[in-house]
Amino acid sequence: MDTESSVTTEQTLSDEAIIEIIDMHKWFGDFHVLQGINLTVHKQERIVICGPSGSGKSTLIRCINRLEEHQRGRIVVDGIELTNNIKNIEKVRTEVGMVFQHFNLFPHLSIIENLTLGPIWVRKVPKKEAEEIAMYYLEKVHIAEQAKKYPGQLSGGQQQRVAIARSLCMNPKVMLFDEPTSALDPEMIKEVLDVMIELAREGMTMIVVSHEMGFAKSVAHRVLFMDFGQIVEGNTPEEFFENPQHDRTKLFLSQILH
Amino acid sequence: MVGLLGYYLVSNTLHNLEKQSIATGFGFIHQESSFEIGESLIDYSAASSYGRALIVGALNTLYVSFIGIVITVILGTFIGVARLSTNWLVSRLAAIFIEVMQNIPVLLQLFFWYAIFYETLPSPRQALNPIAGVFLCNRGVAFTVPKTHPAHAYMAIAFLAGCIIVYLVRRWAKKRQERTGQLFPVFRVSMGLLLGLPLLTWWMAGAPTELNMPKLVGFNFIGGLNFSPEFIALLLGLVLYTAAFVAEAVRAGIQSVSKGQTEAAMSLGLRPPMVLNLVILPQALRVIIPPLTSQMLSLTKNSSLAVAIGFPDFVSVANTTINQTGQAVEGVALIMLVYLFFSLLTSAFMNWYNKKMALVER
Amino acid sequence: MEDIIQKTSKEEIKPPVVSVGVIGWIKANLFNGWFNSALTIVTLFFLWKTVPPFFRWAFIDSVWNTTGQVCRDAGGACWSIISSNFRFILFGFYPYDLQWRPLLAMIILFVLLFFSQNRKLWKKPLVYAWIAGLFIMGLLLRGGLFGLDPVESTQWGGVPLTLLLSVFGLTAAYPLGVVLALGRQSKMRAVKTLCIVYIELIRGVPLISLLFMSSIIFPLLLPEGLTINKILRAQVAIIMFTAAYIAEVVRGGLQGMSRGQYEAAESIGLNYYQTMRLVILPQALKIVIPPTVSQLISAFKDTSLVVIIALYDLLKTTQTVLSNPEWMGFSKEAYVFVAILYFLGCFSMSNYSRKLEKELSRGD
């Protein structure tokens, strides 16, 4: 990754934790998919999670906005604990934005309608104001000219940028990314990563599940390696890539960075 | 070549008809029919013309089809949703219903229900009374209904007025939401108006509560709302059979919306009812409406089987007409024309709907 | 900076008891949330009210092998109506001693169907087997050759008639449907219009009107003295009806073919017939196998309509038994029996179709 776009991790992280996961376990039936996860995420921190498929990375971040339910342990997001309390779940979801691997734009709505849906129906914002917010973020992701089009008319990279803008319209405190570039053709990956880097530059707290190691190197405060439902190792990008501590990490890195 | 064949067939036909002294042309429409029709929505007697008889038949077809379609759509949607329920028991039962009803010919189902009436149900003297005011016997089903009262007319007007007001309220609420962002409880207010206004009218008209109860007089029930066994059997058979197919269409439609759509909507913080209304239903309906329309047409065409159990639908009446006048060609042609009309209407609607709703793609 | 290592404890932590095993399944599937719990209870109550009485009627109080009088005295289901009239219901008026012939014909049909299930066997030998099989079946029913006594078609009935109408109906309708679909795409105006008119006309009218047309009007179309037998008339109506629906199904398949296929065939120098036969149709027809099987199921169910024009198919033979004074009043049992037969036939076909769909979408 070009060093000029590397967002420095020298800016001091606030000590304030925005997400706390304490001894979290999750089972799918008998399968122990997340085993004793302990993780603290600070405000404005950027974390990249990598690992082999089936390691539980996606499940982990999906637990953070309650798309999956955990059975043991605690998850606290911005002071709100995730339990069966529906009101709390909804509050958390408005503060946590999620970008999916397969974009999940609403095909029957235009781009701008996709973006204004959340503000209008959840934050009860008047239509005009919602559209102004939407146009602002569309310009930020460099796709304002497509506002009236429909998702079916855009390329994968364009759709993913719209998806990012859609989450941003809700003014989240944390952005979760679930393999955002895995479903994209190679030539479109850069445009999406560039948007994510700009987002990082502005100080957004981000948790990214991804295999894009260049992105991790230039933007992340921490890189975590997960395997078999556990966080095996976590370190600054330099330490992580230069001095992996565990054999499993070393094996994984050798497979990824050839 | 085709022309020659056509000419040959036509000349044969005309020759044969002449031999059997069967008339041609549609003159018979004005002749006296001299047969009775069991049930009719308009006045009719054996002295009426064949033309009138055919109209009675057509009205009966429309009547049973319309009621059948309404009940089928409701029942089918219900079963389709039940099929997707997270409750194992409910979803299994729905699946069994769908499989069984789809795989038994509709005519057989019609015969079965008709047989239930004249074999299993008791005579009017010992009629079953499952709920107060409803009587089941082998002469049909009788319902208790409110006695006709001028208040009913006013209630109908109140309901229509309610519909108009609801429409205006919705428009106003939408504009208000666009302006200020605030949500108005449109659904609850609509329900209140549609139910409340007629109720208010009823109360103001003196709250008439007199009922028109079916009474056993001699060998039959007089009064109340009566449905013949033929009608009920036809309705039951058609509805249960078609509902199974509608259920499958509804299920397929709901499942066609990928899980990611729900997840994306929920991640934005939308509540489940909103997710359903704004994201899932619009997409699901696009997939559901086309097969639903063809099922509605299928029900209308299947209503022609009424001829087998003696319900006087259009085909039934046309059949009697053919038997009496011998003019088979005109009779069958009439039957085909009428149903063709329904089909083309439905096709046109579907084409229009599909064009309007097609998702815009590159 | 920090290492976050999770020490895997040697003893596995088990998931909460309430979420696994039988209890877990019951909780997750029947009682998750108060709404579902209420639903389960209501449904169980409803089942308790209906299923035991039905079992009592159908099995415990039922009579299986007696006369009609005994049946009337007993309270339960009278299955004797089936056991006593078994052969008539299944074979209609076919001469009693010769009923081994339609039985053999049905066995041949089932054997052919059984082997046709396996897609690996879909090659030339199977097609020849089918042609030979159909011919033999017709021969067995008709007789008149090879020392078999002739049996007039007026005496054919029951299950063989139903199967005959469905199988011959579909076999003849399929090529006709393909031709219609191709004709609908044709560039010749006359052909195209003719095909569209035919397809839309037939699809827009109920089958019963076609049956009426064929049984009443066809005789009028023929010169004096020439008659067609009743079964043939009904068969023609069913063929015409099914062909229109098959045409639409095939049209779907043809529309799914990309232009590239036509262009490739053209560039090799194939003419229209060769292109269709060797390149387009094999692919298009394969795509629409599931909807085609669905049409077969519909055709099978639709044969029951010949009751209305007084042909003695399975439904009509049953009704004939019911009109016998000894067995009057047991329609429920008789119809349930026939329903089970139809259900078995249709269900196995639709099951097969689902299996086929899975296989085809996997790309085997």
Side-chain angles (χ1 to χ4, degrees):
Chain A
M1 253 297 79
D2 33 331
T3 43
E4 60 177 316
S5 65
S6 90
V7 183
T8 62
T9 51
E10 286 156 18
Q11 35 179 191
T12 42
L13 284 176
S14 67
D15 289 322
E16 251 183 281
I18 193 159
I19 297 182
E20 285 180 76
I21 304 180
I22 302 156
D23 191 34
M24 193 258 282
H25 292 259
K26 179 168 171 61
W27 288 265
F28 279 133
D30 261 343
F31 176 52
H32 201 173
V33 58
L34 289 173
Q35 307 180 11
I37 303 287
N38 285 296
L39 179 64
T40 307
V41 181
H42 301 102
K43 277 209 176 124
Q44 304 198 327
E45 187 174 6
R46 296 180 292 277
I47 300 184
V48 171
I49 307 180
C50 63
S53 58
S55 53
K57 340 187 272 293
S58 291
T59 315
L60 173 57
I61 64 170
R62 285 158 65 91
C63 285
I64 298 179
N65 71 349
R66 200 69 171 183
L67 284 182
E68 303 280 357
E69 238 177 80
H70 60 281
Q71 277 99 19
R72 242 173 100 144
R74 299 174 58 212
I75 302 181
V76 183
V77 178
D78 198 25
I80 309 171
E81 173 152 5
L82 279 177
T83 57
N84 283 327
N85 183 326
I86 302 199
K87 285 229 157 45
N88 285 350
I89 296 178
E90 283 170 7
K91 241 186 273 176
V92 165
R93 284 185 178 155
T94 55
E95 302 197 356
V96 174
M98 183 144 189
V99 175
F100 298 85
Q101 182 177 359
H102 295 288
F103 335 135
N104 287 336
L105 292 182
F106 306 130
H108 60 293
L109 300 174
S110 69
I111 301 299
I112 192 147
E113 285 169 346
N114 263 273
L115 265 67
T116 54
L117 191 73
I120 289 181
W121 292 95
V122 181
R123 293 212 191 275
K124 317 252 199 302
V125 171
K127 185 168 172 195
K128 214 146 161 251
E129 208 181 304
E131 286 182 349
E132 283 167 15
I133 301 175
M135 287 310 294
Y136 171 70
Y137 284 111
L138 281 179
E139 278 176 31
K140 245 176 144 206
V141 300
H142 314 299
I143 206 163
E145 69 280 4
Q146 313 280 7
K148 294 284 168 77
K149 293 224 178 117
Y150 283 80
Q153 295 172 291
L154 301 185
S155 74
Q158 291 171 318
Q159 287 189 50
Q160 193 63 299
R161 285 187 277 146
V162 170
I164 297 176
R166 178 176 65 176
S167 296
L168 289 175
C169 282
M170 291 297 288
N171 218 351
K173 299 205 171 97
V174 180
M175 285 283 279
L176 306 173
F177 293 83
D178 189 357
E179 306 217 30
T181 54
S182 301
L184 295 176
D185 290 334
E187 64 270 15
M188 296 194 243
I189 296 182
K190 181 174 187 304
E191 68 192 60
V192 174
L193 289 180
D194 283 344
V195 164
M196 289 165 69
I197 292 173
E198 268 184 58
L199 205 57
R201 229 191 284 258
E202 295 177 3
M204 172 67 77
T205 315
M206 294 161 66
I207 306 181
V208 183
V209 172
S210 180
H211 297 301
E212 295 291 326
M213 293 303 137
F215 174 79
K217 274 189 199 149
S218 66
V219 150
H221 290 103
R222 267 192 289 170
V223 182
L224 303 179
F225 172 67
M226 276 187 74
D227 198 7
F228 294 117
Q230 297 171 325
I231 300 180
V232 173
E233 187 172 335
N235 227 324
T236 61
E238 299 83 41
E239 283 300 311
F240 185 83
F241 290 112
E242 305 293 320
N243 295 327
Q245 303 280 317
H246 292 261
D247 287 333
R248 283 193 275 172
T249 324
K250 290 182 192 156
L251 178 62
F252 177 73
L253 284 175
S254 71
Q255 287 167 336
I256 284 234
L257 308 166
H258 39 256
Chain B
M1 202 175 67
V2 174
L4 278 175
L5 184 65
Y7 179 72
Y8 175 69
L9 291 174
V10 170
S11 69
N12 268 338
T13 316
L14 289 174
H15 176 76
N16 283 328
L17 285 176
E18 229 182 275
K19 267 213 81 189
Q20 299 173 37
S21 34
I22 300 177
T24 51
F26 286 92
F28 67 90
I29 299 221
H30 301 297
Q31 288 170 15
E32 193 179 299
S33 68
S34 52
F35 63 89
E36 288 292 345
I37 297 186
E39 32 194 312
S40 165
L41 289 174
I42 57 177
D43 287 328
Y44 174 84
S45 75
S48 314
S49 63
Y50 280 118
R52 194 168 178 83
L54 289 170
I55 293 183
V56 169
L59 282 175
N60 279 341
T61 296
L62 280 172
Y63 181 54
V64 81
S65 302
F66 180 73
I67 299 185
I69 287 177
V70 169
I71 303 182
T72 305
V73 171
I74 298 176
L75 183 64
T77 310
F78 182 70
I79 299 181
V81 171
R83 177 81 181 79
L84 291 173
S85 165
T86 47
N87 188 321
W88 179 86
L89 199 59
V90 168
S91 118
R92 280 284 112 208
L93 282 177
I96 292 177
F97 176 88
I98 294 176
E99 274 307 324
V100 168
M101 290 304 166
Q102 278 190 346
N103 287 320
I104 300 179
V106 61
L107 187 57
L108 180 52
Q109 296 190 35
L110 286 184
F111 283 140
F112 179 79
W113 294 114
Y114 195 46
I116 295 272
F117 263 99
Y118 64 74
E119 278 183 12
T120 316
L121 287 183
S123 67
R125 296 238 163 143
Q126 292 129 355
L128 295 175
N129 195 346
I131 324 172
V134 178
F135 297 97
L136 288 170
C137 67
N138 61 9
R139 300 290 287 270
V141 179
F143 289 98
T144 306
V145 286
K147 204 160 182 171
T148 348
H149 190 277
H152 293 152
Y154 298 133
M155 284 169 70
I157 298 178
F159 184 76
L160 277 169
C163 288
I164 299 178
I165 299 180
V166 162
Y167 173 70
L168 292 171
V169 165
R170 285 182 67 158
R171 270 183 53 175
W172 168 82
K174 187 151 199 270
K175 288 231 161 61
R176 179 169 170 261
Q177 185 193 11
E178 287 179 8
R179 249 184 325 113
T180 66
Q182 289 169 311
L183 289 173
F184 187 76
V186 176
F187 183 70
R188 268 174 269 175
V189 168
S190 311
M191 283 293 116
L193 280 172
L194 289 176
L195 290 172
L197 280 177
L199 258 155
L200 189 63
T201 327
W202 173 79
W203 180 71
M204 281 188 350
T209 47
E210 254 189 85
L211 294 172
N212 185 353
M213 277 195 78
K215 281 203 182 41
L216 187 55
V217 174
F219 287 110
N220 210 345
F221 278 97
I222 311 284
L225 192 58
N226 277 295
F227 292 110
S228 69
E230 290 79 14
F231 179 79
I232 300 279
L234 183 63
L235 199 62
L236 258 179
L238 287 176
V239 165
L240 291 178
Y241 180 74
T242 318
F245 289 93
V246 170
E248 278 291 278
V250 168
R251 180 183 70 88
I254 297 181
Q255 283 187 323
S256 74
V257 183
S258 76
K259 197 154 168 270
Q261 292 288 302
T262 324
E263 290 182 350
M266 296 213 292
S267 308
L268 289 173
L270 283 166
R271 294 225 172 101
M274 294 281 104
V275 173
L276 194 67
N277 267 330
L278 297 170
V279 175
I280 304 201
L281 274 183
Q283 296 185 59
L285 280 176
R286 278 181 168 80
V287 179
I288 294 178
I289 302 273
L292 187 66
T293 326
S294 71
Q295 284 307 320
M296 296 187 339
L297 183 62
S298 166
L299 186 140
T300 312
K301 286 196 285 182
N302 280 336
S303 71
S304 60
L305 296 176
V307 67
I309 57 172
F311 177 78
D313 80 315
F314 187 76
V315 173
S316 248
V317 172
N319 187 35
T320 317
T321 311
I322 293 177
N323 285 337
Q324 284 192 192
T325 63
Q327 299 195 238
V329 179
E330 289 83 356
V332 172
L334 268 179
I335 296 177
M336 293 175 125
L337 272 168
V338 167
Y339 282 100
L340 204 58
F341 173 69
F342 290 136
S343 303
L344 290 178
L345 210 66
T346 315
S347 282
F349 169 74
M350 264 222 283
N351 281 334
W352 168 82
Y353 180 81
N354 278 333
K355 274 216 187 75
K356 188 160 177 263
M357 287 296 175
L359 289 178
V360 185
E361 287 179 2
R362 36 167 38 173
Chain C
M1 306 279 173
E2 343 94 59
D3 251 2
I4 312 173
I5 301 179
Q6 301 301 303
K7 292 200 170 29
T8 39
S9 45
K10 276 306 166 188
E11 30 100 23
E12 261 180 44
I13 311 181
K14 280 286 177 187
V17 171
V18 203
S19 39
V20 284
V22 180
I23 304 183
W25 183 88
I26 291 185
K27 175 164 186 283
N29 287 299
L30 294 175
F31 290 104
N32 62 340
W34 66 268
F35 179 68
N36 266 339
S37 312
L39 214 54
T40 306
I41 295 177
V42 167
T43 317
L44 284 174
F45 175 73
F46 167 74
L47 285 176
W48 176 74
K49 276 259 155 183
T50 52
V51 176
F54 172 74
F55 261 90
R56 228 198 345 252
W57 173 81
F59 295 111
I60 304 179
D61 290 341
S62 58
V63 232
W64 288 76
N65 235 321
T66 63
T67 63
Q69 190 51 48
V70 177
C71 264
R72 249 175 278 276
D73 298 331
C78 177
W79 299 114
S80 324
I81 184 178
I82 310 295
S83 51
S84 309
N85 299 293
F86 193 63
R87 295 198 28 181
F88 181 74
I89 293 180
L90 289 186
F91 296 107
F93 288 112
Y94 210 88
Y96 199 77
D97 311 316
L98 300 173
Q99 279 176 0
W100 61 270
R101 278 162 48 183
L103 185 61
L104 186 56
M106 290 202 306
I107 294 180
I108 295 179
L109 179 65
F110 290 141
V111 166
L112 280 173
L113 282 172
F114 180 72
F115 280 112
S116 304
Q117 266 185 78
N118 189 347
R119 280 195 310 129
K120 296 197 189 62
L121 294 175
W122 288 6
K123 294 193 189 66
K124 276 252 165 61
L126 189 64
V127 178
Y128 292 139
W130 267 99
I131 298 180
L134 287 172
F135 182 71
I136 296 178
M137 283 188 261
L139 186 62
L140 279 170
L141 282 175
R142 187 76 176 76
L145 291 175
F146 302 124
L148 295 168
D149 294 331
V151 178
E152 284 302 320
S153 64
T154 45
Q155 291 181 291
W156 300 359
V159 178
L161 185 60
T162 302
L163 289 174
L164 177 98
L165 288 172
S166 329
V167 173
F168 278 98
L170 196 74
T171 1
Y174 197 77
L176 182 58
V178 171
V179 166
L180 283 169
L182 290 176
R184 190 179 178 145
Q185 287 201 326
S186 158
K187 299 213 178 36
M188 292 183 270
R189 266 304 208 76
V191 174
K192 185 171 177 172
T193 324
L194 207 64
C195 289
I196 293 185
V197 166
Y198 178 90
I199 293 175
E200 291 303 319
L201 180 71
I202 302 283
R203 277 167 53 94
V205 297
L207 176 57
I208 189 126
S209 62
L210 287 173
L211 285 173
F212 277 171
M213 181 181 83
S214 73
S215 63
I216 306 176
I217 297 188
F218 276 4
L220 293 175
L221 292 175
L222 296 172
E224 273 185 71
L226 197 62
T227 54
I228 331 179
N229 77 54
K230 231 170 160 189
I231 297 187
L232 197 54
R233 283 181 248 160
Q235 181 76 86
V236 169
I238 295 183
I239 292 177
M240 286 175 64
F241 186 72
T242 317
Y245 286 84
I246 300 251
E248 278 298 279
V249 166
V250 172
R251 179 168 85 114
L254 288 174
Q255 281 181 334
M257 304 287 341
S258 61
R259 269 217 59 78
Q261 294 293 310
Y262 291 92
E263 289 171 355
E266 249 180 66
S267 62
I268 306 180
L270 300 175
N271 67 21
Y272 179 78
Y273 295 104
Q274 289 167 328
T275 311
M276 285 304 154
R277 192 167 71 82
L278 300 169
V279 176
I280 303 292
L281 284 180
Q283 296 182 58
L285 295 180
K286 181 175 167 200
I287 298 177
V288 294
I289 288 181
T292 312
V293 176
S294 170
Q295 264 315 116
L296 174 60
I297 300 175
S298 291
F300 181 60
K301 288 189 288 185
D302 286 340
T303 56
S304 58
L305 264 70
V306 300
V307 153
I308 302 183
I309 53 171
L311 269 182
Y312 281 86
D313 80 318
L314 180 59
L315 198 48
K316 183 103 182 126
T317 55
T318 314
Q319 289 191 325
T320 314
V321 168
L322 284 171
S323 59
N324 179 341
E326 188 188 348
W327 300 107
M328 243 189 217
F330 296 114
S331 306
K332 285 199 300 291
E333 291 84 340
Y335 286 139
V336 166
F337 173 71
V338 176
I340 293 178
L341 288 181
Y342 271 110
F343 180 76
L344 286 174
C346 295
F347 185 67
S348 41
M349 283 192 276
S350 67
N351 235 8
Y352 175 68
S353 164
R354 272 190 286 251
K355 195 182 72 149
L356 205 55
E357 238 175 311
K358 269 206 202 94
E359 271 179 27
L360 287 176
S361 66
R362 270 207 325 256
D364 305 347

